[in-house]
């Protein structure tokens, strides 16, 4: 039990307590008065630490107990029992809290569905009035219905060769490179790394795809290979055009490494969250540059923007949501593994509280990133149906039943009032089978015999990994049972080893090979992995499996096909005994090499087995079932050959061309649902502006959400600026104007009500813009105009800070010549203009106004209906209209905020805590006055309830917590700056 400190402490207490009444096996009682009949070992194992081998523990107890005297034994036993009782009580408390939480979530889901049904039934046509929710759902269930709808989707084919698409994939954590991937080096460098690299290669070879960029993190650390610091790595050249000619020097698949976070450190995925915004800015800069390059090559001078942005895992999903919102490009998400599912499993173990889990894994930040990804995604790609129902079904932003209702209404062209659920599709991961050769078994037998020298001759040259494996085995001719995974407790390797060790017929017939990543020194590994490896070594010794089990220390990624080949030549079996397997890519790899499988019945292997029909499924907790399944396949040769043939016959379903064809077909369909660009370019100019930091923009953690929101009572309305913080930001992002910013800050006199400003990045001199003023700017200074009194009225003391900023910038001729100013505020535009006039500051001093928390953008002197009257940017207004249902949101928020937990009567005036501020509202911002702060809900709670009802938006408290504003999903101050 190494690595589980809380268990170790109690085991030591048991061992130190002495034998007591060991032989007495009467029913266990927690009552210490019955100590004479109490077996603490058995109680500990059965009630607290299930799964521990009591036989070994009991044997150790007998050996140690003889050295203890009676008094010491009794004292330690009593102390140990109280500690175990306290731990058991804590575990049950965690289980009860988990049960209560799930019950509350189920109730909230049901309440949300009822609200949706009530709201949407009001505008059904006369012919639909009789339809119930059950009828709407039922119409989706027949198989013929799905087949008819799928047939309407045009399958991707060679007819699309002329499209020349640009696709962006994102996978941030781990060590990503095209060759000699260090899979298994750590928990961040695993199957996802291999998948995204191979996906990029395969997509680049599809007809109609010109370039694929795989974004990841640039790492220049002495702890990793130098190749991870290279800015760009080519994976493959591009495919040919319709005439069969090579197209363009930039075509193909590339790994693009974006620097973000500390340059000289390799960080685990849990530590990357604070730097997500930095990655997004770097990725935007690369996309801008690449769009121009591709425009010159294939776009006839017009920029070529990404066809789709695909995020892999939560961190990349968060980034993809921001990029998608800024560029107005459809987003696709693949979760790989999900935070809520991991949290559920860890809580069920009862070993850590939710706070401890969050501290270790940053699990709540990860879950929020996944929720945000669901808000923005057009399409979510999963490996199995189980992932959709049992894993994504845990999230606020996805409800299987509600998704069916909304899909049915959309097909009938009935208004959904802005409600939306992302489309989930199952696309199994692909594989490259081009180099595989299906060998005849008689030839394989002869080859194996000659390879290992069993016929008396000297052995032939063999792959190095074969020699490394065979040196462990007394008889390499025996069928090989192969397991390939990280030494992670979830992979359940120890149960496999016990099943093998305790089944004598299986040991007589077969060998066992465990490929458990790469290691140099077990003591240097993480506690979880080290614990598994130590247990493996102890079990090999316990069952005396020397000569029967191989466990090499090292292997390369290029060795894996040779390992499968060796197992197939011995007529072996591949096994994946994981407790839960999200998909099981190794099962497909093994089937491609002719290996039957034994796999867990929990998760993806169920779908793989249904498609391939090449093995047996088992309960991973049932040690005997694992042994029986392995013995059946090894002993019954006819069954073995049948499974081998079935695997080869059906393996084409998992080929990369098939995967990419389905992928591009689904992406094309989701683009039809996504609003098309309203302008020639999704953004104006190449202008990248630094975001403002601090409470003045109502920011708690800008890397957390698109919106600039915060928690209730989190705003003080001050406009403090910190030169040290700005210098730090400039240093991290490599800002070329850092010295100029320092010079300006030194000239600003700190006023009574402190000012806050932020500098922008330099943009290219030659830009094309429809905004004549901004076209001349190389940098932009953003002033956040948010300083309010207790009633939410803007404080006039801020004018002094604004004038000082103007003076400091204009006093430096090098900066002022090509610099401009932008105003960012929560106030509506008319109120902001009146406020500026009261301080004798002309609105024309600013090149841009970001008003109403990012729901409107104005360019003074550009868009005007009448002289002196500003009009919002119509392109930005059209852009943020995506998934915005104002009426449905207003009705739902009123119900949630004006009744306790959303259960009361929505017309109950006595419980009203908010009132709509009509003057401060606009078509894309609903503003509310907070009448009773004591009844106001937390932002996170309100967002959760809205997501459960299919409403995607950004609620926030502002103006010193006297207002609550709700803006569209794609609107925020930070995104408006982008």
């Amino acid at each position: 039990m190494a690595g589980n400190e809380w268990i170790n402490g109690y085991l030591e207490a048991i061992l130190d307590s002495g034998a007591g009444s060991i032989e007495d096996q009467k029913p266990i009682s927690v009552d210490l008065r019955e100590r004479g009949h109490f077996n603490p070992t058995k109680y500990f194992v059965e009630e607290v630490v299930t799964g521990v081998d009591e036989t070994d523990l009991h044997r150790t107890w007998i050996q140690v107990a003889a050295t203890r005297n009676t008094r010491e034994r009794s004292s330690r036993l009593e102390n140990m029992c109280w500690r175990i009782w306290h731990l058991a009580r804590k575990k049950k408390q965690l289980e009860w809290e988990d049960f209560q939480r799930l019950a509350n979530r189920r109730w909230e889901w049901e309440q949300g569905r009822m609200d949706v049904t009530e709201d949407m039934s009001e505008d059904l046509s006369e012919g639909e009035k009789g339809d119930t929710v059950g009828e709407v759902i039922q119409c989706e269930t027949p198989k013929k219905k799905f087949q008819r709808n799928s047939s309407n989707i045009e399958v991707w084919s060679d007819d699309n060769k002329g499209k020349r698409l640009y696709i962006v994939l994102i996978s941030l954590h781990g060590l990503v490179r095209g060759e000699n991937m260090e899979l298994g080096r750590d928990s961040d460098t695993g199957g996802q790394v291999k998948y995204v690299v191979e996906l990029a290669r395969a997509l680049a070879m599809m007809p109609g795809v010109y370039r694929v960029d795989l974004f990841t993190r640039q790492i220049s650390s002495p702890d990793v290979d130098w190749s991870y610091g290279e800015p760009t790595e080519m994976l493959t050249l591009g495919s040919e055009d319709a005439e069969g000619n090579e197209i363009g020097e930039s075509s193909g698949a590339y790994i693009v490494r974006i620097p973000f976070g500390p340059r000289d450190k390799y960080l685990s995925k849990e530590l990357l969250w604070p730097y997500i915004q930095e990655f997004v800015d770097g990725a935007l800069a690369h996309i801008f540059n690449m769009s121009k390059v591709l425009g010159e090559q294939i776009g006839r001078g017009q920029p070529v923007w990404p066809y789709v942005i695909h995020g892999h895992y939560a961190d990349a999903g968060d980034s993809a949501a921001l990029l998608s919102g800024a560029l107005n490009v459809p987003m696709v998400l693949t979760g790989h593994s999900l935070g809520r599912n991991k949290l559920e499993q860890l809580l069920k173990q009862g070993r850590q509280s939710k706070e401890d889990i969050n501290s270790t894994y940053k699990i709540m930040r990860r879950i929020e990133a996944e929720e945000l990804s669901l808000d923005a995604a057009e399409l979510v790609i999963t490996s199995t149906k189980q992932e959709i129902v049992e894993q994504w079904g845990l999230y606020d932003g996805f409800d299987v039943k509600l998704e069916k209702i909304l899909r049915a209404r959309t097909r009938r062209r009935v208004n959904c009032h802005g409600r939306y659920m992302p489309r989930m599709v199952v696309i199994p991961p692909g594989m490259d089978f081009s180099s595989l050769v299906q060998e005849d078994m008689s030839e394989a037998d002869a080859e194996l015999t000659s390879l290992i020298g069993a016929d008396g001759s000297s052995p032939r040259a063999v792959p190095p990994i074969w020699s490394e494996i065979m040196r462990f085995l007394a008889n390499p001719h025996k069928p090989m049972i192969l397991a390939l995974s990280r030494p992670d407790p979830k992979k359940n390797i120890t149960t496999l080893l016990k099943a093998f060790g305790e089944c004598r017929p299986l040991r007589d017939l077969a060998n066992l090979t465990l490929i458990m990543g790469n290691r140099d020194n077990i003591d240097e590994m993480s506690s979880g992995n080290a614990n598994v490896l130590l247990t493996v070594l102890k079990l090999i010794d316990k069952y005396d499996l020397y000569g029967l089990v191989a466990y090499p220390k090292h292997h390369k990624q290029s060795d894996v096909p040779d390992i499968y080949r060796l197992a197939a030549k011995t007529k072996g079996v591949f096994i994946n005994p994981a407790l839960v397997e999200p998909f099981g890519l190794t099962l497909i790899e093994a089937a491609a090499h002719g290996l039957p499988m034994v796999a867990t019945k929990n998760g993806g292997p169920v779908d793989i087995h249904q498609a391939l029909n090449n093995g047996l499924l088992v309960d991973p907790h049932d040690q005997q079932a694992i042994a029986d399944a392995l013995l059946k396949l090894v002993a019954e040769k006819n069954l073995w050959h049948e499974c081998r043939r079935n695997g080869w016959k059906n393996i084409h379903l998992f080929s990369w061309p098939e995967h990419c064809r389905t992928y591009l077909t689904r992406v094309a369909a989701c683009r039809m649902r996504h609003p098309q660009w309203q302008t020639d370019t999704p953004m104006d100019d190449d202008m990248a502006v630094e975001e403002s930091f601090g409470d003045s923009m109502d920011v708690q953690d800008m890397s957390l959400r698109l919106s600039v929101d915060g928690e209730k009572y989190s705003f003080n309305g001050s406009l403090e600026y910190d030169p040290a913080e700005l210098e730090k930001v400039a240093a991290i992002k490599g800002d070329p104007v850092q010295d100029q910013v320092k010079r300006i800050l030194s000239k600003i006199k700190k006023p009574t009500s402190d000012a806050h400003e932020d500098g922008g990045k330099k943009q290219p001199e030659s830009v094309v813009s429809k905004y004549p003023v901004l076209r001349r700017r190389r940098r932009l200074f953003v002033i956040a105009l948010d300083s309010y009194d207790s009633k939410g009225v803007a404080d006039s003391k801020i004018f002094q800070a604004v004038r000082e900023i103007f003076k400091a910038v204009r006093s430096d001729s090098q900066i002022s010549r090509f610099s401009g100013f932008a105003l960012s505020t929560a106030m509506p535009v008319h109120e902001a203009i009146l406020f500026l006039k009261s301080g004798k500051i002309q609105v024309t001093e600013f090149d841009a106004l970001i008003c109403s928390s990012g729901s409107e953008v104005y360019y003074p002197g550009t868009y005007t209906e009448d002289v002196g009257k500003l009009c919002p940017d119509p392109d930005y207004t059209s852009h943020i209209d995506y998934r915005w249902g104002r009426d449905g949101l207003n009705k739902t928020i009123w119900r949630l905020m004006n009744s306790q937990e959303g259960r009361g009567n929505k017309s109950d005036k006595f419980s009203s805590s908010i009132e709509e501020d009509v003057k401060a509202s606009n078509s894309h911002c609903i503003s509310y006055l907070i009448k009773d702060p004591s009844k106001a809900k937390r932002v996170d709670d309100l967002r959760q309830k809205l997501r459960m009802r299919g409403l995607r938006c950004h609620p926030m408290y502002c103006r010193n917590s006297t207002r609550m504003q709700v803006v569209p999903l794609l609107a925020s101050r930070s995104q408006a700056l982008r």
Side-chain angles (χ1 to χ4, degrees), residues 550-570:
Y551 43 97
K553 294 182 67 172
H554 298 282
H555 73 281
K556 300 177 182 177
Q557 182 60 29
S558 58
D559 292 331
V560 173
D562 290 329
I563 297 172
Y564 287 128
R565 285 178 54 227
L566 177 60
K569 287 178 182 295
T570 62

Side-chain angles (χ1 to χ4, degrees), residues 1-12 44-45 48-53 57 351 494 498 527-528 530-532 534-535 538:
M1 305 301 292
N4 297 302
E5 289 75 14
W6 69 278
I7 294 180
N8 293 338
Y10 297 113
L11 288 178
E12 290 172 6
F44 184 81
V45 172
V48 183
V49 194
T50 57
V52 175
D53 189 339
L57 189 61
R351 300 176 184 179
T494 54
K498 291 178 183 179
S527 59
N531 177 35
V532 172
L534 289 173
T535 305
K538 290 178 181 179

Side-chain angles (χ1 to χ4, degrees), residues 823 828-838 841 843 849 868 870:
L823 179 71
V829 64
H830 62 84
E831 190 174 338
I833 292 174
L834 289 175
F835 180 67
L836 291 174
K837 287 182 178 179
S838 68
I841 296 177
V843 70
L849 305 178
L870 294 178

Side-chain angles (χ1 to χ4, degrees), residues 399-412:
D399 184 309
V400 175
K401 294 181 180 179
L402 184 54
E403 192 273 337
K404 291 180 178 179
I405 295 172
L406 296 176
R407 198 193 315 171
R409 289 177 64 91
T410 302
R411 187 162 46 248
R412 293 162 138 184

Side-chain angles (χ1 to χ4, degrees), residues 507-732:
R507 289 159 50 188
D508 292 340
L509 283 176
N511 294 319
L512 177 62
T513 296
L514 304 175
I515 307 297
M516 299 176 289
N518 291 281
R519 63 187 183 277
D520 291 317
N521 189 336
I522 294 179
D523 293 336
E524 297 175 356
M525 302 178 69
S526 64
S527 59
N529 292 354
N531 177 35
V532 172
L533 282 167
L534 289 173
T535 305
V536 166
L537 296 177
K538 290 178 181 179
L539 290 173
I540 290 173
D541 187 73
K542 172 184 176 180
Y543 296 114
D544 193 15
L545 300 178
Y546 299 104
L548 298 175
V549 179
Y551 43 97
K553 294 182 67 172
H554 298 282
H555 73 281
K556 300 177 182 177
Q557 182 60 29
S558 58
D559 292 331
V560 173
D562 290 329
I563 297 172
Y564 287 128
R565 285 178 54 227
L566 177 60
K569 287 178 182 295
T570 62
K571 297 185 176 67
V573 176
F574 182 81
I575 180 168
N576 181 337
L579 299 177
V580 177
E581 181 57 62
F583 182 68
L585 195 61
T586 52
L587 296 173
I588 301 174
E589 294 175 343
H593 287 84
L595 277 172
M597 73 170 188
V598 172
T600 176
K601 67 177 184 178
N602 299 330
V606 175
D607 291 339
I608 294 175
H609 178 263
Q610 184 178 1
L612 297 180
N613 190 27
N614 70 325
L616 303 172
L617 298 178
V618 294
D619 181 353
H621 299 282
D622 191 337
Q623 182 176 311
Q624 187 61 45
I626 294 174
D628 291 343
L630 290 170
L631 185 60
K632 185 178 181 67
L633 280 173
V634 170
E636 299 182 19
K637 294 304 177 184
N638 289 336
L639 176 62
W640 187 92
H641 282 284
E642 180 184 354
C643 290
R644 177 187 177 92
R645 286 193 299 269
N646 289 342
W648 273 343
K649 181 177 66 175
N650 299 314
I651 199 67
H652 71 277
L653 298 173
F654 298 95
S655 66
W656 272 120
E658 187 69 24
H659 174 92
C660 292
R661 189 176 296 111
T662 306
Y663 175 90
L664 292 171
T665 300
R666 290 293 186 177
V667 170
C670 85
R671 280 183 61 88
M672 295 175 64
R673 299 189 297 271
H674 191 275
Q676 298 300 312
W677 297 331
Q678 303 298 318
T679 60
D680 292 337
T681 59
M683 291 183 64
D684 295 298
D685 304 336
D686 294 338
M687 187 166 43
V689 198
E690 296 291 343
E691 297 164 15
S692 299
F693 293 85
D695 288 342
S696 59
M697 274 189 68
D698 300 349
V699 179
Q700 286 281 324
D701 178 6
M702 287 199 60
S703 67
L704 185 61
R705 304 179 185 93
L706 275 167
S707 62
V708 282
D709 56 17
E711 299 300 335
K712 180 183 169 187
Y713 305 127
S714 64
F715 319 123
N716 56 21
S718 65
L719 276 173
E720 298 180 359
Y721 69 88
D722 185 354
E725 182 64 22
L726 289 178
E727 292 173 18
K728 174 181 168 187
V729 172
I732 290 176

Side-chain angles (χ1 to χ4, degrees), residues 23 166 171 174 209 215 224 238 255 273 277 361 398 408 522 583 646-647 805 844 930:
E23 303 303 326
Y166 173 34
S171 182
V209 177
F215 288 172
V224 301
I255 295 176
W273 293 113
Q277 294 273 346
Y361 300 103
F398 182 72
I522 294 179
F583 182 68
N646 289 342
I805 294 173
T844 52
I930 305 301

Side-chain angles (χ1 to χ4, degrees), residues 806-826:
F806 285 162
K807 181 179 178 181
V809 173
R810 289 165 180 166
S811 65
D812 192 317
S813 60
Q814 295 181 11
I815 295 179
S816 61
R817 184 178 179 185
F818 297 105
S819 297
F821 298 93
L823 179 71
S824 176
T825 181

